[in-house]
Amino acid sequence: MEVAHRIVEVRTTLAGFGGHAVGLVPTMGNLHEGHLELVRTCRRQCDVSVVSIFVNPTQFGPGEDYANYPRTLDDDLARLDEAQVDVVFNPDVQEMYPAGQDDHVAVTVPGLGDTLCGASRPGHFDAVATVVAKLFNIVQPKHAFFGEKDWQQLAVIRAMARQLDMPIDVVGVPTVRAESGLALSSRNNYLSDAERDRAALLNATLVDIKRAISTGSQRYSELESQAATLLTDGGFDVDYVAVRDAHRLCEPHSASTDLRILAAARLGRARLIDNVGVDR
Ligand code: PAF
């Protein structure tokens, strides 16, 4: 496994693989089973697998956890080596933003990037789209793999790739969950044992809404507010629970057959997100 810290190095290494189909798994490190599932999917579909590890400062808002975000590079590299990844790209901030972070060209994905998590984390999805566009330009993958746990991020990146005519297949990979239903996330590290047990309520609540919709309910706002009350009673500080069109993330309209139920809520120090799909 090659580990490259510089853009020039990763490009030279990839040039050595000739015309083979390159797959990219962008990550911020602190790898868990969810990331490894992305890697396995990438290896199955591509000739060459590249994983990037970069904690992107611009996508963290003021007061968010950039400084404390778990950084576990040695463990991450050992796991990726074991998973038989070909190339790891691990740049530092200076390599990615040599002219500084403030006056950098930015990619904006209006609409999709402004709702739900984008409403409470202004600028977050522009920063994600920008860093992913840079990674796409650096690695030039044929396929790129993202977890469905970050459903809105996946929608934003798909829209960016489509609208900027990037010839990249953006692949969503189903969420990996603990036995309790809790979606795996690096931010679960912030939960105490008691909070981790309670955190399972987030997914259980979304599954309840899914059941109600599957059996015919279209009273979405009622389902959303009942769920928010249940979560608040369970100790969560709820940002939103929302039933949305799965692709546009707008409120469901008559043609929306593919829905997504999404939620974000804080539990202790962790901001947790989750989503489940439902057809109607
Ligand atoms: O999902 C993540 O880990 C990050 O948002 C990403 C896609 C690697 C961009 O920094």
Side-chain angles (χ1 to χ4, degrees):
M1 183 176 82
E2 292 284 329
V3 181
H5 301 285
R6 309 290 309 274
I7 294 168
V8 65
E9 278 177 73
V10 78
R11 285 195 166 137
T12 310
T13 304
L14 288 171
F17 284 99
H20 289 94
V22 172
L24 172 66
V25 179
T27 81
M28 297 206 298
N30 192 237
L31 305 181
H32 50 63
E33 244 334 279
H35 296 109
L36 296 179
E37 184 58 22
L38 300 181
V39 169
R40 286 189 285 266
T41 311
C42 175
R43 288 196 67 244
R44 273 198 302 276
Q45 295 189 17
C46 304
D47 304 320
V48 181
S49 52
V50 181
V51 175
S52 63
I53 299 180
F54 177 60
V55 185
N56 175 36
T58 61
Q59 69 187 73
F60 291 78
E64 291 188 357
D65 54 345
Y66 175 63
N68 302 324
Y69 196 83
R71 289 163 172 84
T72 49
L73 185 62
D74 290 346
D75 280 3
D76 293 346
L77 293 179
R79 286 176 158 225
L80 294 177
D81 197 26
E82 199 183 331
Q84 296 182 290
V85 162
D86 297 298
V87 182
V88 175
F89 177 47
N90 171 229
D92 65 12
V93 174
Q94 171 66 21
E95 182 71 4
M96 290 298 276
Y97 301 107
Q101 298 166 38
D102 293 339
D103 293 326
H104 200 280
V105 170
V107 177
T108 302
V109 184
L112 282 175
D114 301 327
T115 183
L116 302 169
C117 285
S120 23
R121 305 182 72 192
H124 169 73
F125 287 112
D126 291 355
V128 169
T130 303
V131 79
V132 171
K134 286 170 72 72
L135 292 168
F136 282 2
N137 283 333
I138 294 165
V139 174
Q140 304 197 357
K142 189 157 187 269
H143 308 275
F145 300 83
F146 297 86
E148 287 188 350
K149 192 204 67 144
D150 296 281
W151 185 263
Q152 185 173 8
Q153 170 172 283
L154 182 59
V156 162
I157 291 165
R158 281 196 167 123
M160 172 191 76
R162 193 173 53 245
Q163 293 181 27
L164 293 182
D165 309 301
M166 296 171 165
I168 297 169
D169 170 32
V170 176
V171 182
V173 177
T175 304
V176 178
R177 299 181 180 280
E179 230 175 274
S180 67
L182 175 66
L184 298 195
S185 161
S186 301
R187 290 191 167 101
N188 294 350
N189 288 331
Y190 301 148
L191 298 169
S192 66
D193 288 348
E195 285 167 346
R196 196 175 276 264
D197 290 343
R198 242 186 303 148
L201 183 63
L202 186 60
N203 181 248
T205 307
L206 299 187
V207 171
D208 280 348
I209 300 182
K210 175 184 168 113
R211 202 170 297 123
I213 295 175
S214 307
T215 52
S217 174
Q218 292 197 10
R219 301 160 88 105
Y220 304 132
S221 351
E222 206 175 296
L223 293 170
E224 289 165 357
S225 57
Q226 280 167 359
T229 306
L230 207 86
L231 288 169
T232 307
D233 292 348
F236 287 81
D237 180 6
V238 179
D239 184 356
Y240 62 80
V241 180
V243 179
R244 294 288 171 98
D245 177 283
H247 307 290
R248 298 185 188 179
L249 300 184
C250 57
E251 288 182 14
H253 48 82
S254 52
S256 311
T257 47
D258 196 1
L259 304 183
R260 209 81 194 174
I261 309 155
L262 307 102
R266 203 167 269 287
L267 186 62
R269 283 174 53 224
R271 184 177 189 279
L272 302 177
I273 58 173
D274 200 355
N275 67 85
V276 298
V278 59
D279 296 334
R280 64 163 191 188

Tab-separated table of all heavy atoms in Angstrom, residues 25-29 35 38 52-57 59-60 69 97 124-125 127-129 131-132 135 145-147 149-150 153 157 186-187, ligand 1:
chain	number	residue	atom	x	y	z
A	25	VAL	N	-12.476	6.397	-2.041
A	25	VAL	CA	-13.287	6.465	-0.823
A	25	VAL	C	-12.779	7.655	-0.014
A	25	VAL	O	-11.746	7.553	0.651
A	25	VAL	CB	-13.157	5.155	0.006
A	25	VAL	CG1	-13.988	5.272	1.281
A	25	VAL	CG2	-13.577	3.948	-0.800
A	26	PRO	N	-13.486	8.812	-0.069
A	26	PRO	CA	-13.034	9.958	0.722
A	26	PRO	C	-13.441	9.785	2.184
A	26	PRO	O	-14.592	9.438	2.466
A	26	PRO	CB	-13.789	11.154	0.103
A	26	PRO	CG	-14.366	10.647	-1.182
A	26	PRO	CD	-14.585	9.177	-0.964
A	27	THR	N	-12.512	9.997	3.111
A	27	THR	CA	-12.832	9.876	4.543
A	27	THR	C	-12.119	10.977	5.323
A	27	THR	O	-11.207	11.637	4.809
A	27	THR	CB	-12.371	8.521	5.154
A	27	THR	OG1	-10.956	8.616	5.462
A	27	THR	CG2	-12.610	7.349	4.235
A	28	MET	N	-12.550	11.110	6.587
A	28	MET	CA	-11.820	11.997	7.497
A	28	MET	C	-11.079	11.137	8.531
A	28	MET	O	-10.721	11.617	9.607
A	28	MET	CB	-12.778	12.972	8.173
A	28	MET	CG	-13.457	13.894	7.154
A	28	MET	SD	-13.982	15.470	7.816
A	28	MET	CE	-15.165	14.960	9.038
A	29	GLY	N	-10.856	9.859	8.208
A	29	GLY	CA	-10.109	8.987	9.113
A	29	GLY	C	-10.964	8.487	10.262
A	29	GLY	O	-12.194	8.530	10.203
A	35	HIS	N	-16.715	2.619	7.180
A	35	HIS	CA	-15.713	2.977	6.171
A	35	HIS	C	-15.193	1.720	5.463
A	35	HIS	O	-14.974	1.714	4.257
A	35	HIS	CB	-14.520	3.677	6.814
A	35	HIS	CG	-14.840	4.989	7.461
A	35	HIS	ND1	-14.845	5.162	8.825
A	35	HIS	CD2	-15.157	6.192	6.932
A	35	HIS	CE1	-15.141	6.412	9.111
A	35	HIS	NE2	-15.336	7.060	7.986
A	38	LEU	N	-17.268	0.637	2.739
A	38	LEU	CA	-17.048	1.447	1.532
A	38	LEU	C	-15.826	0.920	0.777
A	38	LEU	O	-15.829	0.791	-0.452
A	38	LEU	CB	-16.800	2.916	1.886
A	38	LEU	CG	-17.886	3.694	2.644
A	38	LEU	CD1	-17.445	5.137	2.876
A	38	LEU	CD2	-19.194	3.669	1.882
A	52	SER	N	-8.843	8.484	0.750
A	52	SER	CA	-8.245	9.725	1.248
A	52	SER	C	-8.604	9.882	2.719
A	52	SER	O	-9.712	9.523	3.143
A	52	SER	CB	-8.706	10.934	0.430
A	52	SER	OG	-10.100	11.098	0.551
A	53	ILE	N	-7.635	10.379	3.469
A	53	ILE	CA	-7.845	10.679	4.890
A	53	ILE	C	-7.467	12.136	5.076
A	53	ILE	O	-6.288	12.505	4.971
A	53	ILE	CB	-6.945	9.795	5.791
A	53	ILE	CG1	-7.258	8.314	5.586
A	53	ILE	CG2	-7.126	10.184	7.259
A	53	ILE	CD1	-6.412	7.368	6.443
A	54	PHE	N	-8.472	12.966	5.293
A	54	PHE	CA	-8.210	14.408	5.466
A	54	PHE	C	-9.335	14.994	6.307
A	54	PHE	O	-10.498	14.953	5.899
A	54	PHE	CB	-8.155	15.098	4.092
A	54	PHE	CG	-7.962	16.592	4.182
A	54	PHE	CD1	-6.829	17.126	4.803
A	54	PHE	CD2	-8.913	17.472	3.666
A	54	PHE	CE1	-6.650	18.509	4.899
A	54	PHE	CE2	-8.744	18.846	3.756
A	54	PHE	CZ	-7.602	19.358	4.375
A	55	VAL	N	-8.990	15.495	7.481
A	55	VAL	CA	-9.993	16.162	8.322
A	55	VAL	C	-10.085	17.587	7.795
A	55	VAL	O	-9.192	18.412	8.032
A	55	VAL	CB	-9.601	16.126	9.819
A	55	VAL	CG1	-10.733	16.723	10.665
A	55	VAL	CG2	-9.309	14.704	10.280
A	56	ASN	N	-11.147	17.827	7.048
A	56	ASN	CA	-11.268	19.086	6.301
A	56	ASN	C	-11.746	20.224	7.215
A	56	ASN	O	-12.913	20.228	7.610
A	56	ASN	CB	-12.272	18.866	5.151
A	56	ASN	CG	-12.552	20.136	4.394
A	56	ASN	OD1	-11.659	20.955	4.216
A	56	ASN	ND2	-13.788	20.311	3.958
A	57	PRO	N	-10.867	21.187	7.523
A	57	PRO	CA	-11.253	22.208	8.518
A	57	PRO	C	-12.427	23.062	8.079
A	57	PRO	O	-13.206	23.517	8.914
A	57	PRO	CB	-9.978	23.062	8.657
A	57	PRO	CG	-9.172	22.798	7.434
A	57	PRO	CD	-9.519	21.414	6.971
A	59	GLN	N	-15.196	22.461	6.684
A	59	GLN	CA	-16.578	21.978	6.827
A	59	GLN	C	-17.057	21.957	8.276
A	59	GLN	O	-18.176	21.535	8.552
A	59	GLN	CB	-16.761	20.615	6.152
A	59	GLN	CG	-16.054	19.455	6.826
A	59	GLN	CD	-16.144	18.184	5.987
A	59	GLN	OE1	-15.486	18.050	4.964
A	59	GLN	NE2	-16.958	17.225	6.408
A	60	PHE	N	-16.186	22.410	9.197
A	60	PHE	CA	-16.581	22.512	10.606
A	60	PHE	C	-16.936	23.968	10.886
A	60	PHE	O	-16.162	24.868	10.534
A	60	PHE	CB	-15.433	22.107	11.527
A	60	PHE	CG	-15.094	20.634	11.473
A	60	PHE	CD1	-14.344	20.117	10.417
A	60	PHE	CD2	-15.527	19.768	12.466
A	60	PHE	CE1	-14.026	18.763	10.353
A	60	PHE	CE2	-15.215	18.406	12.409
A	60	PHE	CZ	-14.461	17.911	11.354
A	69	TYR	N	-11.812	16.384	16.771
A	69	TYR	CA	-12.234	15.276	15.911
A	69	TYR	C	-11.198	14.153	16.024
A	69	TYR	O	-9.991	14.402	15.943
A	69	TYR	CB	-12.359	15.745	14.451
A	69	TYR	CG	-13.140	14.768	13.621
A	69	TYR	CD1	-14.530	14.797	13.613
A	69	TYR	CD2	-12.491	13.782	12.891
A	69	TYR	CE1	-15.250	13.863	12.876
A	69	TYR	CE2	-13.206	12.849	12.156
A	69	TYR	CZ	-14.580	12.896	12.155
A	69	TYR	OH	-15.298	11.968	11.438
A	97	TYR	N	-5.018	23.539	0.964
A	97	TYR	CA	-5.401	24.959	0.859
A	97	TYR	C	-4.146	25.835	0.918
A	97	TYR	O	-3.958	26.590	1.873
A	97	TYR	CB	-6.373	25.334	1.997
A	97	TYR	CG	-7.645	24.517	1.995
A	97	TYR	CD1	-7.868	23.526	2.953
A	97	TYR	CD2	-8.632	24.725	1.033
A	97	TYR	CE1	-9.032	22.753	2.944
A	97	TYR	CE2	-9.798	23.963	1.020
A	97	TYR	CZ	-9.984	22.989	1.974
A	97	TYR	OH	-11.143	22.236	1.964
A	124	HIS	N	-21.657	24.376	5.544
A	124	HIS	CA	-21.069	23.037	5.696
A	124	HIS	C	-21.012	22.289	4.358
A	124	HIS	O	-19.959	21.765	3.967
A	124	HIS	CB	-21.879	22.231	6.721
A	124	HIS	CG	-21.532	20.775	6.755
A	124	HIS	ND1	-20.350	20.304	7.311
A	124	HIS	CD2	-22.182	19.671	6.291
A	124	HIS	CE1	-20.305	18.986	7.183
A	124	HIS	NE2	-21.397	18.573	6.571
A	125	PHE	N	-22.143	22.255	3.644
A	125	PHE	CA	-22.160	21.442	2.425
A	125	PHE	C	-21.374	22.094	1.278
A	125	PHE	O	-20.873	21.386	0.402
A	125	PHE	CB	-23.597	21.096	2.012
A	125	PHE	CG	-24.205	20.065	2.939
A	125	PHE	CD1	-25.241	20.399	3.791
A	125	PHE	CD2	-23.709	18.774	2.969
A	125	PHE	CE1	-25.784	19.453	4.656
A	125	PHE	CE2	-24.243	17.819	3.831
A	125	PHE	CZ	-25.286	18.158	4.678
A	127	ALA	N	-18.563	23.539	1.802
A	127	ALA	CA	-17.196	23.130	2.134
A	127	ALA	C	-16.978	21.658	1.782
A	127	ALA	O	-15.905	21.276	1.288
A	127	ALA	CB	-16.929	23.370	3.618
A	128	VAL	N	-17.991	20.822	2.022
A	128	VAL	CA	-17.864	19.399	1.665
A	128	VAL	C	-17.753	19.270	0.142
A	128	VAL	O	-16.879	18.571	-0.379
A	128	VAL	CB	-19.077	18.585	2.198
A	128	VAL	CG1	-19.083	17.182	1.604
A	128	VAL	CG2	-19.056	18.515	3.715
A	129	ALA	N	-18.648	19.969	-0.583
A	129	ALA	CA	-18.635	19.868	-2.050
A	129	ALA	C	-17.284	20.350	-2.587
A	129	ALA	O	-16.713	19.748	-3.506
A	129	ALA	CB	-19.781	20.684	-2.649
A	131	VAL	N	-14.247	20.406	-1.066
A	131	VAL	CA	-13.120	19.490	-0.813
A	131	VAL	C	-13.281	18.206	-1.632
A	131	VAL	O	-12.290	17.656	-2.146
A	131	VAL	CB	-12.937	19.211	0.705
A	131	VAL	CG1	-13.932	18.190	1.233
A	131	VAL	CG2	-11.514	18.735	0.984
A	132	VAL	N	-14.523	17.746	-1.814
A	132	VAL	CA	-14.721	16.527	-2.614
A	132	VAL	C	-14.394	16.815	-4.081
A	132	VAL	O	-13.778	15.990	-4.764
A	132	VAL	CB	-16.149	15.955	-2.412
A	132	VAL	CG1	-16.427	14.823	-3.400
A	132	VAL	CG2	-16.323	15.448	-0.978
A	135	LEU	N	-10.720	16.599	-4.300
A	135	LEU	CA	-10.268	15.197	-4.261
A	135	LEU	C	-10.561	14.499	-5.589
A	135	LEU	O	-9.748	13.715	-6.084
A	135	LEU	CB	-10.949	14.458	-3.092
A	135	LEU	CG	-10.515	14.921	-1.698
A	135	LEU	CD1	-11.448	14.354	-0.626
A	135	LEU	CD2	-9.070	14.507	-1.389
A	145	PHE	N	-17.155	6.460	-3.552
A	145	PHE	CA	-18.042	5.730	-2.643
A	145	PHE	C	-18.299	6.540	-1.374
A	145	PHE	O	-17.351	6.993	-0.725
A	145	PHE	CB	-17.412	4.375	-2.303
A	145	PHE	CG	-17.201	3.537	-3.537
A	145	PHE	CD1	-16.064	3.717	-4.330
A	145	PHE	CD2	-18.159	2.623	-3.949
A	145	PHE	CE1	-15.873	2.975	-5.490
A	145	PHE	CE2	-17.974	1.880	-5.113
A	145	PHE	CZ	-16.839	2.057	-5.886
A	146	PHE	N	-19.587	6.693	-1.036
A	146	PHE	CA	-19.991	7.470	0.146
A	146	PHE	C	-21.055	6.686	0.898
A	146	PHE	O	-21.880	5.991	0.293
A	146	PHE	CB	-20.575	8.824	-0.279
A	146	PHE	CG	-19.577	9.698	-0.980
A	146	PHE	CD1	-19.377	9.585	-2.350
A	146	PHE	CD2	-18.811	10.617	-0.274
A	146	PHE	CE1	-18.447	10.375	-3.011
A	146	PHE	CE2	-17.865	11.408	-0.918
A	146	PHE	CZ	-17.690	11.287	-2.291
A	147	GLY	N	-21.075	6.845	2.225
A	147	GLY	CA	-22.057	6.139	3.043
A	147	GLY	C	-23.430	6.800	2.966
A	147	GLY	O	-23.540	8.031	2.967
A	149	LYS	N	-25.412	6.862	5.306
A	149	LYS	CA	-25.716	7.491	6.603
A	149	LYS	C	-25.758	9.009	6.434
A	149	LYS	O	-26.582	9.694	7.003
A	149	LYS	CB	-24.683	7.106	7.664
A	149	LYS	CG	-25.141	7.497	9.054
A	149	LYS	CD	-24.006	7.667	10.005
A	149	LYS	CE	-23.225	8.829	9.587
A	149	LYS	NZ	-22.621	9.699	10.498
A	150	ASP	N	-24.842	9.531	5.600
A	150	ASP	CA	-24.821	10.965	5.298
A	150	ASP	C	-25.630	11.184	4.013
A	150	ASP	O	-25.075	11.533	2.967
A	150	ASP	CB	-23.374	11.433	5.135
A	150	ASP	CG	-22.588	11.291	6.424
A	150	ASP	OD1	-22.737	12.135	7.302
A	150	ASP	OD2	-21.840	10.307	6.560
A	153	GLN	N	-25.413	14.568	2.324
A	153	GLN	CA	-24.086	14.737	1.710
A	153	GLN	C	-24.024	14.000	0.369
A	153	GLN	O	-23.526	14.524	-0.629
A	153	GLN	CB	-23.026	14.204	2.669
A	153	GLN	CG	-21.640	14.091	2.068
A	153	GLN	CD	-20.584	13.750	3.098
A	153	GLN	OE1	-20.176	14.620	3.839
A	153	GLN	NE2	-20.122	12.518	3.151
A	157	ILE	N	-23.330	15.683	-3.244
A	157	ILE	CA	-22.186	15.291	-4.087
A	157	ILE	C	-22.670	14.774	-5.446
A	157	ILE	O	-22.080	15.072	-6.481
A	157	ILE	CB	-21.292	14.278	-3.348
A	157	ILE	CG1	-20.609	15.008	-2.192
A	157	ILE	CG2	-20.258	13.651	-4.273
A	157	ILE	CD1	-19.980	14.126	-1.163
A	186	SER	N	-17.942	8.128	13.496
A	186	SER	CA	-16.804	8.497	14.347
A	186	SER	C	-17.288	9.296	15.551
A	186	SER	O	-16.677	9.261	16.615
A	186	SER	CB	-15.806	9.329	13.550
A	186	SER	OG	-15.366	8.571	12.455
A	187	ARG	N	-18.389	10.010	15.396
A	187	ARG	CA	-18.880	10.850	16.503
A	187	ARG	C	-19.519	10.018	17.615
A	187	ARG	O	-19.762	10.548	18.695
A	187	ARG	CB	-19.829	11.928	15.983
A	187	ARG	CG	-19.065	12.974	15.167
A	187	ARG	CD	-19.878	14.207	14.848
A	187	ARG	NE	-19.038	15.274	14.356
A	187	ARG	CZ	-18.909	15.616	13.048
A	187	ARG	NH1	-19.582	14.958	12.129
A	187	ARG	NH2	-18.112	16.609	12.694
B	1	PAF	O1	-18.133	12.151	5.109
B	1	PAF	C1	-16.977	12.572	5.352
B	1	PAF	O2	-16.172	11.916	6.012
B	1	PAF	C2	-16.556	13.931	4.819
B	1	PAF	O3	-17.614	14.823	4.816
B	1	PAF	C3	-15.884	13.867	3.440
B	1	PAF	C4	-16.844	13.343	2.376
B	1	PAF	C5	-14.661	12.962	3.494
B	1	PAF	C6	-15.430	15.270	2.996
B	1	PAF	O4	-14.524	15.815	3.897
